[in-house]
């Protein structure tokens, strides 16, 4: 789910910092084997600080003052979600794709290069707005729907 502030930023076409965090973390997860390596990789390549606590993971975007817990980014970014990911990754056979072979550690994109994911996010917002419009229209039509359904059922009999 996205907050109202994120929707407003997307409508204005501004980068969404949580989306940047998610993108950087996803990019880093491909190149590391555990949480400690993830912490180092995020710090070195993206300037994102990461705190590993008893139950939580927290991330600090370079442009922000406060940490953001992984749960606010999504269930895949919690400590349990990351542990599950690394466990599954360790069980998978080691096979690299062309895209992984072509990316070297010295040439990883910075946080700005990953971008805000604004196109995908804007498309999702447009779908959500359309769904909300349909819900609003159905509320207006809803009082008439039971009668229509009843008439259809009578015709079917």
């Amino acid at each position: 789910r996205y907050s109202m502030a994120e929707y407003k930023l997307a409508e204005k076409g501004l980068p969404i910092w949580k989306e940047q965090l998610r993108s950087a973390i996803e990019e880093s997860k491909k190149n590391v084997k555990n949480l400690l390596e993830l912490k180092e990789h995020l710090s070195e390549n993206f300037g994102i600080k990461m705190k590993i606590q008893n139950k939580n993971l927290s991330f600090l975007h370079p442009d922000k003052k406060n940490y953001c817990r992984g749960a606010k980014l999504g269930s895949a970014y919690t400590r349990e979600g990351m542990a599950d990911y690394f466990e599954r990754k360790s069980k998978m056979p080691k096979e690299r794709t062309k895209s992984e072979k072509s990316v070297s550690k010295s040439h990883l994109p910075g946080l700005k290069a990953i971008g805000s994911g604004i196109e995908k996010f804007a498309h999702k917002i447009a779908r959500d707005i359309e769904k909300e419009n349909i819900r609003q229209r159905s509320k207006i039509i809803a009082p008439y729907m039971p009668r229509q359904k009843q008439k259809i059922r009578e015709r079917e009999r």
Side-chain angles (χ1 to χ4, degrees):
R1 294 185 177 187
Y2 297 101
S3 68
M4 202 61 190
E6 290 173 299
Y7 276 111
K8 296 294 181 187
L9 285 173
E11 285 176 352
K12 292 178 183 176
L14 299 173
I16 300 156
W17 64 273
K18 284 185 181 178
E19 202 60 43
Q20 288 179 335
L21 277 177
R22 288 182 194 104
S23 299
I25 294 166
E26 288 300 321
E27 186 67 33
S28 295
K29 281 179 9 180
K30 296 175 187 174
N31 301 312
V32 298
K33 296 177 185 174
N34 58 40
L35 286 174
L36 294 175
E37 288 181 15
L38 179 68
K39 180 179 180 177
E40 291 174 12
H41 194 271
L42 285 170
S43 178
E44 291 172 3
N45 297 301
F46 300 105
I48 296 173
K49 294 180 183 176
M50 179 177 153
K51 283 198 287 190
I52 302 172
Q53 299 166 326
N54 290 337
K55 295 181 181 179
N56 301 309
L57 295 178
S58 299
F59 304 94
L60 178 65
H61 189 280
D63 299 338
K64 299 293 177 183
K65 295 178 184 177
N66 297 328
Y67 280 84
C68 175
R69 283 196 179 166
K72 293 289 184 181
L73 299 174
S75 61
Y77 305 98
T78 62
R79 188 164 184 152
E80 296 84 23
M82 292 285 191
D84 290 343
Y85 172 81
F86 289 125
E87 186 178 323
R88 280 186 276 125
K89 185 177 178 182
S90 68
K91 290 181 181 178
M92 290 174 41
K94 186 68 177 173
E95 185 178 316
R96 296 180 71 182
T97 62
K98 280 186 176 180
S99 62
E100 288 177 329
K101 290 177 184 175
S102 65
V103 176
S104 67
K105 284 192 172 187
S106 62
H107 183 55
L108 287 170
L111 190 60
K112 302 293 181 191
I114 285 181
S116 62
I118 193 74
E119 295 84 16
K120 184 171 80 172
F121 190 65
H123 183 67
K124 182 180 179 343
I125 289 173
R127 284 193 323 241
D128 290 348
I129 290 171
E130 183 60 30
K131 286 179 185 177
E132 185 61 29
N133 289 339
I134 291 169
R135 277 191 217 114
Q136 292 298 325
R137 279 185 259 150
S138 68
K139 285 181 182 178
I140 295 169
I141 300 172
Y144 305 106
M145 291 303 287
R147 292 180 192 157
Q148 291 176 352
K149 287 181 182 178
Q150 187 177 9
K151 288 180 183 178
I152 292 171
R153 287 183 192 149
E154 289 173 0
R155 286 182 199 155
E156 290 174 355
R157 290 180 191 172

